[in-house]
């Protein structure tokens, strides 16, 4: 009753990553406010924070249902899926009262400020500094972050900085709520080969942060970061899968022409299509196993460690096959290209699947060491 069904003719199921213009964000905010008004803004949140106390399985079903409708791009997923739960676990009562309702109704967009030029997936190596000013009860932040998704439209960020350089690598880190409109915050969007600007680099120069914006104890930012990263990988694996339907790819294989016949009749392309569909189905079943484990014990099982890695591989294979089904036309961009150029954009964006949220290499290390119990790689 509130949104139109998805029209395949508009985009063929391919997402315009990084093309969120102000008008699109305004539409997303209106939609998010409508959801929040009836308790659908973040259904897994506790009822006292405006959610429905839904299970992860119900959230998965909800995401599947939303995929059938023409809803705006979800610029709120970082706040609602990752930072909101982190504030519930570690934030003060004041922080929760101030920010959670505004995350929920779309008034606040958030970003996650972890990676740095010399600290990508290794968060313990961050060098951005936080120095406490006791006279004014504030912290001064200096340093640089990079690959910050959505920083150019975000109102707030959760940032990890080093507040005790003398402490061991995994200690001496602290987490802060950062007002992205503060003096000294400079956001520079990074133009991607897909044509969008999903990622940014952020420079912090003597940025003042009130002491009340410290999340969790000082020096315990690593534990806070682990909470956020766990939410990120689960969200990417489960909700991302539900939002990647296979029907558009099948329809494309039937409608695209290859050597004068439907592409699906070509044995090589048909075999690749079947491979993507099978791996997508295996990933879906693994997701359901993870959700079942959470339902039983309240915590994801070891299979959750494979979700992010598997989803990245399926997502990039999906985009590569779409381009090959269209042939040279699949590399075209612009409004006169097939599906408004979104196939080419999806193909160009796909490598980021293997980086964001923890690189493939990091995921393999986690699986090998923490799930399979293999010895750690030798240190040089």
């Amino acid at each position: 009753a509130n949104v139109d069904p998805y029209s395949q003719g508009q985009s063929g199921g391919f997402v315009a990553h990084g093309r969120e213009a102000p008008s699109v964000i305004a539409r997303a905010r209106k939609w998010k406010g409508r959801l929040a008004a009836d308790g659908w803004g973040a259904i897994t949140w506790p009822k006292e924070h405006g959610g429905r106390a839904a299970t992860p399985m119900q959230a998965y079903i909800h995401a599947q249902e939303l995929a059938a409708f023409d809803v705006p791009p979800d610029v709120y997923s970082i706040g609602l899926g990752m930072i909101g739960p982190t504030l519930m676990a570690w934030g003060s009562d004041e922080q929760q009262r101030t920010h959670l309702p505004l995350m929920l109704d779309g008034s606040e967009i958030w970003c996650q400020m972890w990676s740095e030029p010399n600290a990508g997936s290794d968060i313990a190596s961050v060098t951005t500094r936080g120095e406490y000013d006791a006279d004014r009860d504030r912290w001064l932040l200096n340093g640089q972050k990079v690959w910050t998704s959505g920083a150019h439209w975000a109102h707030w960020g959760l940032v990890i900085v080093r507040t005790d350089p003398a402490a061991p690598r995994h200690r001496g880190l602290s987490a802060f709520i950062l007002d992205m409109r503060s003096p000294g915050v400079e956001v520079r969007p990074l133009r991607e080969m897909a044509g969008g600007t999903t990622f940014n680099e952020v420079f912090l120069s003597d940025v003042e942060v009130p002491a009340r914006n410290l999340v969790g104890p000082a020096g315990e930012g690593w534990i806070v970061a682990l909470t956020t990263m766990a939410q990120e990988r689960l969200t990417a694996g489960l909700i991302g899968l539900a939002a990647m339907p296979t029907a558009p790819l099948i329809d494309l294989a039937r409608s695209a022409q290859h050597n004068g016949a439907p592409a699906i009749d070509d044995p090589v392309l048909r075999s690749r299509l079947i491979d993507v569909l099978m791996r997508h189905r295996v990933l879906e079943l693994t997701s359901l196993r993870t959700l079942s484990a959470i339902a039983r014990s309240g915590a994801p099982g070891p299979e959750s460690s494979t979700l992010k890695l598997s989803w990245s591989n399926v997502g990039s294979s999906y985009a590569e096959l779409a381009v090959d089904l269209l042939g040279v036309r699949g590399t075209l961009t612009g409004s006169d290209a097939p599906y408004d150029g979104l196939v080419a954009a999806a193909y160009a964006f796909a490598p980021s699947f293997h980086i964001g949220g923890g690189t493939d290499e990091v995921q393999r290390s986690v699986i090998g060491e923490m799930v399979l119990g293999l010895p750690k790689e030798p240190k040089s």
Side-chain angles (χ1 to χ4, degrees):
N2 292 279
V3 67
D4 295 329
Y6 163 74
S7 174
Q8 184 181 327
Q10 295 174 349
S11 65
F14 300 97
V15 180
H17 294 284
R19 299 185 184 180
E20 290 80 0
S23 60
V24 176
I25 294 176
R27 178 172 170 246
R29 177 176 179 177
K30 183 178 180 180
W31 169 244
K32 186 59 69 176
R34 184 71 186 89
L35 289 174
D38 286 339
W40 293 96
I43 64 173
T44 58
W45 282 20
K47 293 182 179 179
E48 60 265 29
H49 291 306
R52 289 177 173 262
T55 66
M57 184 71 78
Q58 290 170 324
Y60 181 80
I61 296 170
H62 185 234
Q64 285 182 313
E65 294 299 319
L66 282 181
F69 292 87
D70 184 25
V71 298
D74 190 2
V75 298
Y76 298 95
S77 59
I78 293 175
L80 295 176
M82 293 174 253
I83 298 176
T86 301
L87 292 184
M88 293 178 203
W90 295 100
S92 66
D93 291 341
E94 178 188 359
Q95 291 169 352
Q96 294 177 14
R97 287 194 306 268
T98 300
H99 295 291
L100 293 181
L102 298 181
M103 285 184 187
L104 203 60
D105 70 8
S107 299
E108 291 183 357
I109 301 176
W110 283 66
C111 63
Q112 170 188 319
M113 303 170 69
W114 268 215
S115 297
E116 297 180 4
N118 294 313
S121 298
D122 184 11
I123 305 304
S125 297
V126 300
T127 59
T128 296
R129 305 185 313 279
E131 299 175 340
Y132 182 59
D133 179 0
D135 293 336
R136 298 180 59 182
D137 195 26
R138 64 174 184 172
W139 294 80
L140 291 177
L141 307 188
N142 284 277
Q144 179 186 354
K145 297 292 180 177
V146 74
W147 309 124
T148 307
S149 299
H152 52 316
W153 61 64
H155 306 105
W156 297 88
L158 185 64
V159 59
I160 295 292
V161 303
R162 187 162 297 283
T163 52
D164 185 358
R169 278 178 10 111
H170 291 84
R171 304 296 299 269
L173 299 173
S174 298
F176 293 93
I177 293 173
L178 174 64
D179 187 342
M180 298 298 289
R181 297 151 292 192
S182 300
V185 176
E186 181 185 358
V187 178
R188 299 181 187 174
L190 297 169
R191 180 67 61 180
E192 304 148 15
M193 61 183 178
T197 52
T198 303
F199 308 109
N200 303 265
E201 53 184 350
V202 183
F203 295 87
L204 307 176
S205 302
D206 288 329
V207 179
E208 298 183 13
V209 177
R212 66 178 181 274
N213 283 16
L214 175 67
V215 179
E220 297 297 334
W222 174 253
I223 305 299
V224 177
L226 288 180
T227 301
T228 308
M229 288 188 286
Q231 294 290 333
E232 177 182 26
R233 288 166 186 172
L234 190 60
T235 299
L238 299 180
I239 307 306
L241 175 66
M244 187 176 62
T246 55
L249 192 64
I250 298 172
D251 291 339
L252 177 58
R254 288 171 173 161
S255 61
Q257 294 291 303
H258 185 78
N259 293 330
I264 200 169
D265 291 341
D266 180 271
V268 175
L269 292 175
R270 185 170 64 250
S271 178
R272 289 178 57 192
L273 174 63
I274 292 171
D275 178 69
V276 171
L277 297 180
M278 286 194 303
R279 288 194 286 139
H280 184 280
R281 181 56 177 161
V282 170
L283 180 56
E284 184 177 41
L285 293 174
T286 304
S287 299
L288 295 175
R289 287 176 56 197
T290 301
L291 292 170
S292 297
I294 295 173
R296 288 192 303 269
S297 64
E303 60 273 5
S304 64
S305 299
T306 67
L307 282 177
K308 168 59 173 58
L309 179 63
S310 300
W311 181 82
S312 299
N313 291 328
V314 172
S316 58
S317 297
Y318 187 111
E320 291 167 5
L321 178 57
V323 169
D324 290 342
L325 288 171
L326 287 168
V328 293
R329 296 190 306 129
T331 64
L332 298 177
T333 61
S335 58
D336 57 345
Y339 302 110
D340 294 328
L342 294 183
V343 173
Y347 175 78
F349 189 84
S352 71
F353 296 157
H354 302 273
I355 302 172
T359 65
D360 287 359
E361 291 77 10
V362 167
Q363 304 304 332
R364 292 188 180 101
S365 293
V366 170
I367 294 168
E369 296 172 10
M370 301 183 67
V371 178
L372 301 177
L374 300 177
K376 293 186 177 182
E377 294 192 19
K379 302 292 184 180
S380 58

